[in-house]
């Protein structure tokens, strides 16, 4: 078992905010009255929890407040296992984020960092040109689910033949809840989701939360990271990306399931953008190369140009 990393800082404040008849749970590291623009962190899934992103709380050491929250239906927020599948939409989570910013009193000035689905949500939010958004970080996210699937198919083709055969058999038979499917799935995850094996406790905690209540994940995504059959399967933000007006940082890992083919539209379409690639990472550079990740994000939020790999090599 890994020790709790010392860059996971304790919360200075926790609470919930009413939203659509439910409650959104949040956690603040630092002081929202400090005068420093806060960073709001959006987790992946859809249907994951904030826990696996807690290392970003270390950014508060420099005086910047960092806010984590669990999106509705997940974690410490209200769970709605009986909700009609049509309830779970991109618009729902955009509205929830809007409500959170207003509830915390920071809607006039804030940064956003979204990881995986959180980055998709961040892009969806930013194309609406909200007045208070200062800077945007999109980490390990696809610009469309079609391109995500293209990337996944390419990465799956590199798996051992027996592993890919097992995945295909169970996907075809609709038995993706079987132990054999999950065992084969782990081969892909250890290569392209998190290369720190065994996973650190905060990452394991988020995976366990999805297993415990897969309502949102299964409805919007599907049974696994690479078999998207949920309501998000036709999602794309590509044609709206030129509407993002704020400075934007794109992050991805060399082994990331969010491969360059899925990420590149952000780089090509957002007007004020830079892209940093983490050579030793897959889908979680914040866990796999934590110190560099924090340094790159810190520099960007402070207004400096972060150093990093040149995406042109892809």
């Amino acid at each position: 078992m890994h020790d709790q990393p010392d860059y996971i800082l304790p919360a200075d404040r926790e609470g919930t905010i009413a939203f659509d008849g439910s409650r959104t749970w949040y956690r603040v590291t630092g002081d929202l009255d400090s005068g420093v623009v806060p960073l709001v962190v959006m987790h992946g899934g859809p249907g994951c929890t904030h826990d696996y992103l807690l290392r970003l709380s270390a950014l508060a050491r420099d005086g910047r407040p960092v806010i984590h929250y669990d999106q509705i239906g997940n974690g410490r927020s209200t769970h709605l296992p009986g909700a009609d599948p049509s309830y779970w939409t991109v618009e729902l989570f955009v509205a929830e984020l809007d409500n959170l910013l207003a509830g915390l009193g920071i809607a006039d000035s804030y940064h956003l960092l979204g990881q995986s689905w959180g980055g998709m949500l961040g892009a969806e939010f930013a194309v609406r040109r909200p007045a208070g958004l200062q800077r945007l970080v999109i980490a390990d996210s696809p610009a469309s689910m079609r391109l995500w699937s293209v990337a996944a198919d390419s990465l799956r083709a590199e798996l051992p033949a027996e592993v890919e055969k097992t995945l295909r058999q169970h996907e075809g038979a609709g038995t993706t809840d079987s132990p054999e499917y999950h065992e084969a799935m782990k081969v892909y995850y250890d290569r392209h989701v998190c290369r720190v094996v065994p996973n650190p406790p905060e990452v394991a905690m988020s995976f366990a939360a999805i297993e415990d209540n897969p309502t949102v994940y299964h409805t919007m995504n599907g049974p696994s990271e690479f078999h998207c059959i949920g309501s998000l399967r036709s999602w794309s933000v590509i044609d709206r990306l030129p509407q993002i007006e704020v400075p934007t940082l794109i992050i991805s890992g060399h082994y990331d399931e969010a491969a360059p083919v899925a990420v590149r539209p952000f780089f090509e379409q957002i007007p004020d953008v830079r892209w940093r690639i983490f050579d030793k990472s897959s889908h979680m550079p914040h866990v796999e190369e934590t110190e560099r990740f924090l340094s790159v994000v810190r520099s960007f939020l402070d207004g400096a140009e972060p150093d990093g790999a040149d995406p042109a090599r892809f």
Side-chain angles (χ1 to χ4, degrees), residues 140 148 151-152 154-159 185-195 225-226 253-259 281-284 288:
D140 318 288
W148 175 267
S154 176
L155 295 173
R156 285 177 59 157
E158 298 171 3
L159 294 173
M185 192 170 80
K186 190 175 185 307
V187 177
Y188 183 96
Y189 279 39
D190 289 350
R191 288 185 179 197
H192 302 299
V193 180
C194 183
R195 294 169 75 86
E225 289 290 283
F226 46 77
H254 180 73
Y255 303 98
D256 206 327
E257 58 180 338
S281 295
S282 58
H283 197 53
M284 297 189 187
E288 296 158 298

PDB file of all heavy atoms in Angstrom, residues 140 148 151-152 154-159 185-195 225-226 253-259 281-284 288:
ATOM      1  N   ASP A 140      -5.908  15.421 -20.615  1.00  0.00           N
ATOM      2  CA  ASP A 140      -6.193  14.022 -20.973  1.00  0.00           C
ATOM      3  C   ASP A 140      -7.618  13.842 -21.498  1.00  0.00           C
ATOM      4  O   ASP A 140      -8.293  12.873 -21.165  1.00  0.00           O
ATOM      5  CB  ASP A 140      -5.960  13.108 -19.765  1.00  0.00           C
ATOM      6  CG  ASP A 140      -4.714  13.474 -18.998  1.00  0.00           C
ATOM      7  OD1 ASP A 140      -3.617  13.227 -19.514  1.00  0.00           O
ATOM      8  OD2 ASP A 140      -4.820  14.047 -17.892  1.00  0.00           O
ATOM      9  N   TRP A 148     -12.053   9.630 -29.775  1.00  0.00           N
ATOM     10  CA  TRP A 148     -11.695   8.806 -28.613  1.00  0.00           C
ATOM     11  C   TRP A 148     -11.758   7.331 -28.991  1.00  0.00           C
ATOM     12  O   TRP A 148     -10.866   6.542 -28.645  1.00  0.00           O
ATOM     13  CB  TRP A 148     -12.640   9.115 -27.470  1.00  0.00           C
ATOM     14  CG  TRP A 148     -12.505   8.299 -26.227  1.00  0.00           C
ATOM     15  CD1 TRP A 148     -13.187   7.150 -25.912  1.00  0.00           C
ATOM     16  CD2 TRP A 148     -11.657   8.568 -25.097  1.00  0.00           C
ATOM     17  NE1 TRP A 148     -12.821   6.692 -24.666  1.00  0.00           N
ATOM     18  CE2 TRP A 148     -11.891   7.548 -24.145  1.00  0.00           C
ATOM     19  CE3 TRP A 148     -10.741   9.574 -24.802  1.00  0.00           C
ATOM     20  CZ2 TRP A 148     -11.232   7.506 -22.920  1.00  0.00           C
ATOM     21  CZ3 TRP A 148     -10.083   9.530 -23.579  1.00  0.00           C
ATOM     22  CH2 TRP A 148     -10.328   8.506 -22.656  1.00  0.00           C
ATOM     23  N   ALA A 151      -8.894   6.362 -31.250  1.00  0.00           N
ATOM     24  CA  ALA A 151      -7.684   6.171 -30.445  1.00  0.00           C
ATOM     25  C   ALA A 151      -7.729   4.836 -29.711  1.00  0.00           C
ATOM     26  O   ALA A 151      -6.733   4.098 -29.673  1.00  0.00           O
ATOM     27  CB  ALA A 151      -7.526   7.328 -29.456  1.00  0.00           C
ATOM     28  N   ALA A 152      -8.879   4.527 -29.118  1.00  0.00           N
ATOM     29  CA  ALA A 152      -9.016   3.279 -28.353  1.00  0.00           C
ATOM     30  C   ALA A 152      -8.819   2.056 -29.244  1.00  0.00           C
ATOM     31  O   ALA A 152      -8.146   1.092 -28.856  1.00  0.00           O
ATOM     32  CB  ALA A 152     -10.387   3.224 -27.676  1.00  0.00           C
ATOM     33  N   SER A 154      -7.044   1.849 -31.917  1.00  0.00           N
ATOM     34  CA  SER A 154      -5.623   1.759 -32.256  1.00  0.00           C
ATOM     35  C   SER A 154      -4.814   1.174 -31.101  1.00  0.00           C
ATOM     36  O   SER A 154      -3.946   0.317 -31.301  1.00  0.00           O
ATOM     37  CB  SER A 154      -5.106   3.149 -32.618  1.00  0.00           C
ATOM     38  OG  SER A 154      -3.732   3.118 -32.866  1.00  0.00           O
ATOM     39  N   LEU A 155      -5.111   1.620 -29.876  1.00  0.00           N
ATOM     40  CA  LEU A 155      -4.393   1.122 -28.701  1.00  0.00           C
ATOM     41  C   LEU A 155      -4.756  -0.336 -28.413  1.00  0.00           C
ATOM     42  O   LEU A 155      -3.910  -1.132 -28.002  1.00  0.00           O
ATOM     43  CB  LEU A 155      -4.701   2.000 -27.487  1.00  0.00           C
ATOM     44  CG  LEU A 155      -4.198   3.447 -27.575  1.00  0.00           C
ATOM     45  CD1 LEU A 155      -4.700   4.265 -26.398  1.00  0.00           C
ATOM     46  CD2 LEU A 155      -2.678   3.494 -27.654  1.00  0.00           C
ATOM     47  N   ARG A 156      -6.009  -0.689 -28.630  1.00  0.00           N
ATOM     48  CA  ARG A 156      -6.426  -2.069 -28.410  1.00  0.00           C
ATOM     49  C   ARG A 156      -5.745  -3.027 -29.384  1.00  0.00           C
ATOM     50  O   ARG A 156      -5.474  -4.175 -29.047  1.00  0.00           O
ATOM     51  CB  ARG A 156      -7.953  -2.185 -28.516  1.00  0.00           C
ATOM     52  CG  ARG A 156      -8.662  -1.630 -27.309  1.00  0.00           C
ATOM     53  CD  ARG A 156     -10.169  -1.688 -27.442  1.00  0.00           C
ATOM     54  NE  ARG A 156     -10.686  -3.031 -27.630  1.00  0.00           N
ATOM     55  CZ  ARG A 156     -11.933  -3.389 -27.334  1.00  0.00           C
ATOM     56  NH1 ARG A 156     -12.769  -2.505 -26.821  1.00  0.00           N
ATOM     57  NH2 ARG A 156     -12.348  -4.619 -27.534  1.00  0.00           N
ATOM     58  N   ALA A 157      -5.472  -2.551 -30.572  1.00  0.00           N
ATOM     59  CA  ALA A 157      -4.808  -3.394 -31.576  1.00  0.00           C
ATOM     60  C   ALA A 157      -3.400  -3.778 -31.133  1.00  0.00           C
ATOM     61  O   ALA A 157      -2.830  -4.754 -31.638  1.00  0.00           O
ATOM     62  CB  ALA A 157      -4.757  -2.667 -32.914  1.00  0.00           C
ATOM     63  N   GLU A 158      -2.843  -3.020 -30.179  1.00  0.00           N
ATOM     64  CA  GLU A 158      -1.499  -3.311 -29.683  1.00  0.00           C
ATOM     65  C   GLU A 158      -1.505  -4.224 -28.453  1.00  0.00           C
ATOM     66  O   GLU A 158      -0.439  -4.609 -27.966  1.00  0.00           O
ATOM     67  CB  GLU A 158      -0.800  -1.992 -29.330  1.00  0.00           C
ATOM     68  CG  GLU A 158      -0.620  -1.065 -30.521  1.00  0.00           C
ATOM     69  CD  GLU A 158      -0.119   0.309 -30.114  1.00  0.00           C
ATOM     70  OE1 GLU A 158       0.140   0.521 -28.909  1.00  0.00           O
ATOM     71  OE2 GLU A 158       0.007   1.182 -30.997  1.00  0.00           O
ATOM     72  N   LEU A 159      -2.697  -4.569 -27.961  1.00  0.00           N
ATOM     73  CA  LEU A 159      -2.781  -5.474 -26.811  1.00  0.00           C
ATOM     74  C   LEU A 159      -2.438  -6.902 -27.237  1.00  0.00           C
ATOM     75  O   LEU A 159      -2.548  -7.252 -28.422  1.00  0.00           O
ATOM     76  CB  LEU A 159      -4.204  -5.451 -26.232  1.00  0.00           C
ATOM     77  CG  LEU A 159      -4.694  -4.150 -25.607  1.00  0.00           C
ATOM     78  CD1 LEU A 159      -6.173  -4.279 -25.241  1.00  0.00           C
ATOM     79  CD2 LEU A 159      -3.874  -3.793 -24.374  1.00  0.00           C
ATOM     80  N   MET A 185      -9.600  -5.994 -19.171  1.00  0.00           N
ATOM     81  CA  MET A 185      -9.695  -4.539 -19.115  1.00  0.00           C
ATOM     82  C   MET A 185      -8.513  -3.938 -18.355  1.00  0.00           C
ATOM     83  O   MET A 185      -7.969  -2.901 -18.733  1.00  0.00           O
ATOM     84  CB  MET A 185     -11.013  -4.177 -18.412  1.00  0.00           C
ATOM     85  CG  MET A 185     -11.448  -2.751 -18.487  1.00  0.00           C
ATOM     86  SD  MET A 185     -13.153  -2.585 -17.858  1.00  0.00           S
ATOM     87  CE  MET A 185     -12.863  -2.579 -16.098  1.00  0.00           C
ATOM     88  N   LYS A 186      -8.090  -4.615 -17.310  1.00  0.00           N
ATOM     89  CA  LYS A 186      -6.999  -4.114 -16.473  1.00  0.00           C
ATOM     90  C   LYS A 186      -5.678  -4.025 -17.250  1.00  0.00           C
ATOM     91  O   LYS A 186      -4.850  -3.146 -16.982  1.00  0.00           O
ATOM     92  CB  LYS A 186      -6.820  -5.000 -15.235  1.00  0.00           C
ATOM     93  CG  LYS A 186      -5.875  -4.402 -14.199  1.00  0.00           C
ATOM     94  CD  LYS A 186      -5.810  -5.250 -12.942  1.00  0.00           C
ATOM     95  CE  LYS A 186      -4.953  -4.565 -11.882  1.00  0.00           C
ATOM     96  NZ  LYS A 186      -3.610  -4.174 -12.345  1.00  0.00           N
ATOM     97  N   VAL A 187      -5.477  -4.911 -18.215  1.00  0.00           N
ATOM     98  CA  VAL A 187      -4.267  -4.853 -19.040  1.00  0.00           C
ATOM     99  C   VAL A 187      -4.209  -3.512 -19.770  1.00  0.00           C
ATOM    100  O   VAL A 187      -3.172  -2.840 -19.803  1.00  0.00           O
ATOM    101  CB  VAL A 187      -4.227  -6.024 -20.048  1.00  0.00           C
ATOM    102  CG1 VAL A 187      -3.001  -5.916 -20.948  1.00  0.00           C
ATOM    103  CG2 VAL A 187      -4.239  -7.364 -19.309  1.00  0.00           C
ATOM    104  N   TYR A 188      -5.329  -3.103 -20.338  1.00  0.00           N
ATOM    105  CA  TYR A 188      -5.413  -1.814 -21.023  1.00  0.00           C
ATOM    106  C   TYR A 188      -5.226  -0.669 -20.036  1.00  0.00           C
ATOM    107  O   TYR A 188      -4.477   0.280 -20.300  1.00  0.00           O
ATOM    108  CB  TYR A 188      -6.786  -1.717 -21.706  1.00  0.00           C
ATOM    109  CG  TYR A 188      -7.014  -0.466 -22.528  1.00  0.00           C
ATOM    110  CD1 TYR A 188      -6.799  -0.469 -23.901  1.00  0.00           C
ATOM    111  CD2 TYR A 188      -7.476   0.714 -21.938  1.00  0.00           C
ATOM    112  CE1 TYR A 188      -7.022   0.668 -24.678  1.00  0.00           C
ATOM    113  CE2 TYR A 188      -7.701   1.854 -22.694  1.00  0.00           C
ATOM    114  CZ  TYR A 188      -7.474   1.827 -24.064  1.00  0.00           C
ATOM    115  OH  TYR A 188      -7.702   2.960 -24.807  1.00  0.00           O
ATOM    116  N   TYR A 189      -5.893  -0.748 -18.885  1.00  0.00           N
ATOM    117  CA  TYR A 189      -5.822   0.319 -17.885  1.00  0.00           C
ATOM    118  C   TYR A 189      -4.390   0.512 -17.382  1.00  0.00           C
ATOM    119  O   TYR A 189      -3.944   1.644 -17.195  1.00  0.00           O
ATOM    120  CB  TYR A 189      -6.739   0.000 -16.702  1.00  0.00           C
ATOM    121  CG  TYR A 189      -8.202   0.333 -16.942  1.00  0.00           C
ATOM    122  CD1 TYR A 189      -8.808   0.118 -18.182  1.00  0.00           C
ATOM    123  CD2 TYR A 189      -8.998   0.852 -15.937  1.00  0.00           C
ATOM    124  CE1 TYR A 189     -10.134   0.400 -18.399  1.00  0.00           C
ATOM    125  CE2 TYR A 189     -10.329   1.147 -16.139  1.00  0.00           C
ATOM    126  CZ  TYR A 189     -10.899   0.925 -17.372  1.00  0.00           C
ATOM    127  OH  TYR A 189     -12.221   1.216 -17.591  1.00  0.00           O
ATOM    128  N   ASP A 190      -3.675  -0.585 -17.157  1.00  0.00           N
ATOM    129  CA  ASP A 190      -2.298  -0.483 -16.651  1.00  0.00           C
ATOM    130  C   ASP A 190      -1.347   0.121 -17.684  1.00  0.00           C
ATOM    131  O   ASP A 190      -0.297   0.650 -17.322  1.00  0.00           O
ATOM    132  CB  ASP A 190      -1.777  -1.862 -16.218  1.00  0.00           C
ATOM    133  CG  ASP A 190      -2.449  -2.361 -14.949  1.00  0.00           C
ATOM    134  OD1 ASP A 190      -3.167  -1.576 -14.308  1.00  0.00           O
ATOM    135  OD2 ASP A 190      -2.252  -3.542 -14.605  1.00  0.00           O
ATOM    136  N   ARG A 191      -1.719   0.046 -18.946  1.00  0.00           N
ATOM    137  CA  ARG A 191      -0.903   0.647 -20.006  1.00  0.00           C
ATOM    138  C   ARG A 191      -1.298   2.099 -20.285  1.00  0.00           C
ATOM    139  O   ARG A 191      -0.431   2.947 -20.513  1.00  0.00           O
ATOM    140  CB  ARG A 191      -1.076  -0.138 -21.317  1.00  0.00           C
ATOM    141  CG  ARG A 191      -0.420  -1.501 -21.337  1.00  0.00           C
ATOM    142  CD  ARG A 191      -0.562  -2.088 -22.736  1.00  0.00           C
ATOM    143  NE  ARG A 191       0.072  -3.408 -22.841  1.00  0.00           N
ATOM    144  CZ  ARG A 191       0.376  -3.995 -23.989  1.00  0.00           C
ATOM    145  NH1 ARG A 191       0.117  -3.377 -25.138  1.00  0.00           N
ATOM    146  NH2 ARG A 191       0.932  -5.180 -24.011  1.00  0.00           N
ATOM    147  N   HIS A 192      -2.618   2.356 -20.306  1.00  0.00           N
ATOM    148  CA  HIS A 192      -3.098   3.603 -20.897  1.00  0.00           C
ATOM    149  C   HIS A 192      -3.946   4.483 -19.976  1.00  0.00           C
ATOM    150  O   HIS A 192      -4.338   5.583 -20.379  1.00  0.00           O
ATOM    151  CB  HIS A 192      -3.890   3.298 -22.171  1.00  0.00           C
ATOM    152  CG  HIS A 192      -3.094   2.551 -23.192  1.00  0.00           C
ATOM    153  ND1 HIS A 192      -1.950   3.075 -23.759  1.00  0.00           N
ATOM    154  CD2 HIS A 192      -3.261   1.308 -23.723  1.00  0.00           C
ATOM    155  CE1 HIS A 192      -1.457   2.193 -24.625  1.00  0.00           C
ATOM    156  NE2 HIS A 192      -2.224   1.114 -24.611  1.00  0.00           N
ATOM    157  N   VAL A 193      -4.226   4.025 -18.760  1.00  0.00           N
ATOM    158  CA  VAL A 193      -5.013   4.836 -17.821  1.00  0.00           C
ATOM    159  C   VAL A 193      -4.161   5.313 -16.658  1.00  0.00           C
ATOM    160  O   VAL A 193      -4.082   6.509 -16.378  1.00  0.00           O
ATOM    161  CB  VAL A 193      -6.251   4.067 -17.313  1.00  0.00           C
ATOM    162  CG1 VAL A 193      -7.058   4.938 -16.342  1.00  0.00           C
ATOM    163  CG2 VAL A 193      -7.143   3.656 -18.489  1.00  0.00           C
ATOM    164  N   CYS A 194      -3.496   4.391 -15.969  1.00  0.00           N
ATOM    165  CA  CYS A 194      -2.565   4.772 -14.900  1.00  0.00           C
ATOM    166  C   CYS A 194      -1.456   3.744 -14.821  1.00  0.00           C
ATOM    167  O   CYS A 194      -1.707   2.574 -14.516  1.00  0.00           O
ATOM    168  CB  CYS A 194      -3.282   4.888 -13.553  1.00  0.00           C
ATOM    169  SG  CYS A 194      -2.188   5.439 -12.214  1.00  0.00           S
ATOM    170  N   ARG A 195      -0.235   4.186 -15.117  1.00  0.00           N
ATOM    171  CA  ARG A 195       0.909   3.287 -15.169  1.00  0.00           C
ATOM    172  C   ARG A 195       1.581   3.118 -13.800  1.00  0.00           C
ATOM    173  O   ARG A 195       2.588   2.411 -13.699  1.00  0.00           O
ATOM    174  CB  ARG A 195       1.907   3.780 -16.216  1.00  0.00           C
ATOM    175  CG  ARG A 195       1.332   3.706 -17.624  1.00  0.00           C
ATOM    176  CD  ARG A 195       2.194   4.433 -18.650  1.00  0.00           C
ATOM    177  NE  ARG A 195       3.407   3.708 -18.994  1.00  0.00           N
ATOM    178  CZ  ARG A 195       3.488   2.766 -19.931  1.00  0.00           C
ATOM    179  NH1 ARG A 195       2.404   2.403 -20.602  1.00  0.00           N
ATOM    180  NH2 ARG A 195       4.636   2.191 -20.204  1.00  0.00           N
ATOM    181  N   GLU A 225     -13.491   2.206 -20.218  1.00  0.00           N
ATOM    182  CA  GLU A 225     -12.927   3.410 -20.813  1.00  0.00           C
ATOM    183  C   GLU A 225     -12.915   3.350 -22.344  1.00  0.00           C
ATOM    184  O   GLU A 225     -12.975   4.375 -23.014  1.00  0.00           O
ATOM    185  CB  GLU A 225     -11.484   3.603 -20.318  1.00  0.00           C
ATOM    186  CG  GLU A 225     -11.375   4.014 -18.870  1.00  0.00           C
ATOM    187  CD  GLU A 225     -11.861   5.433 -18.648  1.00  0.00           C
ATOM    188  OE1 GLU A 225     -11.139   6.371 -18.974  1.00  0.00           O
ATOM    189  OE2 GLU A 225     -12.996   5.584 -18.144  1.00  0.00           O
ATOM    190  N   PHE A 226     -12.832   2.152 -22.891  1.00  0.00           N
ATOM    191  CA  PHE A 226     -12.615   2.030 -24.339  1.00  0.00           C
ATOM    192  C   PHE A 226     -13.808   1.451 -25.081  1.00  0.00           C
ATOM    193  O   PHE A 226     -13.730   1.177 -26.275  1.00  0.00           O
ATOM    194  CB  PHE A 226     -11.380   1.147 -24.600  1.00  0.00           C
ATOM    195  CG  PHE A 226     -11.356  -0.112 -23.773  1.00  0.00           C
ATOM    196  CD1 PHE A 226     -12.148  -1.193 -24.099  1.00  0.00           C
ATOM    197  CD2 PHE A 226     -10.553  -0.191 -22.647  1.00  0.00           C
ATOM    198  CE1 PHE A 226     -12.136  -2.339 -23.338  1.00  0.00           C
ATOM    199  CE2 PHE A 226     -10.524  -1.344 -21.871  1.00  0.00           C
ATOM    200  CZ  PHE A 226     -11.327  -2.422 -22.219  1.00  0.00           C
ATOM    201  N   GLY A 253      -0.618  12.537 -21.917  1.00  0.00           N
ATOM    202  CA  GLY A 253       0.519  11.654 -21.684  1.00  0.00           C
ATOM    203  C   GLY A 253       0.911  10.916 -22.956  1.00  0.00           C
ATOM    204  O   GLY A 253       0.077  10.683 -23.834  1.00  0.00           O
ATOM    205  N   HIS A 254       2.174  10.547 -23.041  1.00  0.00           N
ATOM    206  CA  HIS A 254       2.668   9.829 -24.221  1.00  0.00           C
ATOM    207  C   HIS A 254       1.917   8.517 -24.448  1.00  0.00           C
ATOM    208  O   HIS A 254       1.694   8.098 -25.593  1.00  0.00           O
ATOM    209  CB  HIS A 254       4.162   9.557 -24.059  1.00  0.00           C
ATOM    210  CG  HIS A 254       4.771   8.821 -25.208  1.00  0.00           C
ATOM    211  ND1 HIS A 254       4.999   9.421 -26.435  1.00  0.00           N
ATOM    212  CD2 HIS A 254       5.190   7.535 -25.337  1.00  0.00           C
ATOM    213  CE1 HIS A 254       5.532   8.525 -27.255  1.00  0.00           C
ATOM    214  NE2 HIS A 254       5.658   7.384 -26.625  1.00  0.00           N
ATOM    215  N   TYR A 255       1.520   7.852 -23.357  1.00  0.00           N
ATOM    216  CA  TYR A 255       0.818   6.566 -23.440  1.00  0.00           C
ATOM    217  C   TYR A 255      -0.684   6.730 -23.196  1.00  0.00           C
ATOM    218  O   TYR A 255      -1.396   5.760 -22.968  1.00  0.00           O
ATOM    219  CB  TYR A 255       1.393   5.587 -22.412  1.00  0.00           C
ATOM    220  CG  TYR A 255       2.883   5.366 -22.554  1.00  0.00           C
ATOM    221  CD1 TYR A 255       3.793   6.062 -21.751  1.00  0.00           C
ATOM    222  CD2 TYR A 255       3.391   4.475 -23.500  1.00  0.00           C
ATOM    223  CE1 TYR A 255       5.160   5.867 -21.878  1.00  0.00           C
ATOM    224  CE2 TYR A 255       4.759   4.276 -23.633  1.00  0.00           C
ATOM    225  CZ  TYR A 255       5.634   4.976 -22.820  1.00  0.00           C
ATOM    226  OH  TYR A 255       6.995   4.788 -22.957  1.00  0.00           O
ATOM    227  N   ASP A 256      -1.166   7.945 -23.231  1.00  0.00           N
ATOM    228  CA  ASP A 256      -2.529   8.297 -22.855  1.00  0.00           C
ATOM    229  C   ASP A 256      -3.562   7.633 -23.754  1.00  0.00           C
ATOM    230  O   ASP A 256      -3.390   7.585 -24.980  1.00  0.00           O
ATOM    231  CB  ASP A 256      -2.669   9.821 -22.952  1.00  0.00           C
ATOM    232  CG  ASP A 256      -3.738  10.402 -22.057  1.00  0.00           C
ATOM    233  OD1 ASP A 256      -4.758   9.733 -21.831  1.00  0.00           O
ATOM    234  OD2 ASP A 256      -3.544  11.544 -21.591  1.00  0.00           O
ATOM    235  N   GLU A 257      -4.665   7.170 -23.155  1.00  0.00           N
ATOM    236  CA  GLU A 257      -5.788   6.712 -23.972  1.00  0.00           C
ATOM    237  C   GLU A 257      -6.398   7.895 -24.736  1.00  0.00           C
ATOM    238  O   GLU A 257      -7.036   7.709 -25.767  1.00  0.00           O
ATOM    239  CB  GLU A 257      -6.843   6.015 -23.112  1.00  0.00           C
ATOM    240  CG  GLU A 257      -7.412   6.872 -21.989  1.00  0.00           C
ATOM    241  CD  GLU A 257      -8.444   6.125 -21.166  1.00  0.00           C
ATOM    242  OE1 GLU A 257      -9.020   5.137 -21.662  1.00  0.00           O
ATOM    243  OE2 GLU A 257      -8.678   6.516 -20.008  1.00  0.00           O
ATOM    244  N   ALA A 258      -6.209   9.106 -24.224  1.00  0.00           N
ATOM    245  CA  ALA A 258      -6.523  10.308 -24.990  1.00  0.00           C
ATOM    246  C   ALA A 258      -5.320  10.580 -25.896  1.00  0.00           C
ATOM    247  O   ALA A 258      -4.472  11.427 -25.630  1.00  0.00           O
ATOM    248  CB  ALA A 258      -6.795  11.484 -24.067  1.00  0.00           C
ATOM    249  N   ALA A 259      -5.229   9.800 -26.949  1.00  0.00           N
ATOM    250  CA  ALA A 259      -4.084   9.846 -27.860  1.00  0.00           C
ATOM    251  C   ALA A 259      -4.126  11.127 -28.702  1.00  0.00           C
ATOM    252  O   ALA A 259      -5.157  11.796 -28.774  1.00  0.00           O
ATOM    253  CB  ALA A 259      -4.092   8.612 -28.759  1.00  0.00           C
ATOM    254  N   SER A 281       3.945   9.296 -18.916  1.00  0.00           N
ATOM    255  CA  SER A 281       2.579   9.172 -18.392  1.00  0.00           C
ATOM    256  C   SER A 281       1.605   8.589 -19.402  1.00  0.00           C
ATOM    257  O   SER A 281       1.819   8.644 -20.616  1.00  0.00           O
ATOM    258  CB  SER A 281       2.065  10.548 -17.961  1.00  0.00           C
ATOM    259  OG  SER A 281       2.811  11.061 -16.883  1.00  0.00           O
ATOM    260  N   SER A 282       0.506   8.084 -18.850  1.00  0.00           N
ATOM    261  CA  SER A 282      -0.633   7.704 -19.668  1.00  0.00           C
ATOM    262  C   SER A 282      -1.758   8.708 -19.399  1.00  0.00           C
ATOM    263  O   SER A 282      -1.590   9.899 -19.653  1.00  0.00           O
ATOM    264  CB  SER A 282      -1.046   6.261 -19.394  1.00  0.00           C
ATOM    265  OG  SER A 282      -1.368   6.046 -18.024  1.00  0.00           O
ATOM    266  N   HIS A 283      -2.869   8.268 -18.824  1.00  0.00           N
ATOM    267  CA  HIS A 283      -4.047   9.123 -18.674  1.00  0.00           C
ATOM    268  C   HIS A 283      -4.038   9.967 -17.398  1.00  0.00           C
ATOM    269  O   HIS A 283      -4.923  10.800 -17.218  1.00  0.00           O
ATOM    270  CB  HIS A 283      -5.298   8.228 -18.706  1.00  0.00           C
ATOM    271  CG  HIS A 283      -6.582   8.940 -18.963  1.00  0.00           C
ATOM    272  ND1 HIS A 283      -6.769   9.783 -20.041  1.00  0.00           N
ATOM    273  CD2 HIS A 283      -7.766   8.932 -18.286  1.00  0.00           C
ATOM    274  CE1 HIS A 283      -8.010  10.256 -20.015  1.00  0.00           C
ATOM    275  NE2 HIS A 283      -8.619   9.761 -18.963  1.00  0.00           N
ATOM    276  N   MET A 284      -3.048   9.751 -16.532  1.00  0.00           N
ATOM    277  CA  MET A 284      -3.025  10.479 -15.267  1.00  0.00           C
ATOM    278  C   MET A 284      -1.652  11.073 -14.968  1.00  0.00           C
ATOM    279  O   MET A 284      -0.997  10.710 -13.985  1.00  0.00           O
ATOM    280  CB  MET A 284      -3.455   9.559 -14.112  1.00  0.00           C
ATOM    281  CG  MET A 284      -4.867   9.048 -14.210  1.00  0.00           C
ATOM    282  SD  MET A 284      -5.389   8.205 -12.698  1.00  0.00           S
ATOM    283  CE  MET A 284      -6.986   7.560 -13.220  1.00  0.00           C
ATOM    284  N   GLU A 288       1.280  10.182 -12.344  1.00  0.00           N
ATOM    285  CA  GLU A 288       2.449   9.510 -12.901  1.00  0.00           C
ATOM    286  C   GLU A 288       3.695  10.400 -12.929  1.00  0.00           C
ATOM    287  O   GLU A 288       4.812   9.904 -12.836  1.00  0.00           O
ATOM    288  CB  GLU A 288       2.104   9.006 -14.305  1.00  0.00           C
ATOM    289  CG  GLU A 288       0.996   7.949 -14.282  1.00  0.00           C
ATOM    290  CD  GLU A 288       0.271   7.817 -15.616  1.00  0.00           C
ATOM    291  OE1 GLU A 288      -0.351   8.804 -16.056  1.00  0.00           O
ATOM    292  OE2 GLU A 288       0.329   6.737 -16.211  1.00  0.00           O
TER     293      GLU A 288
END
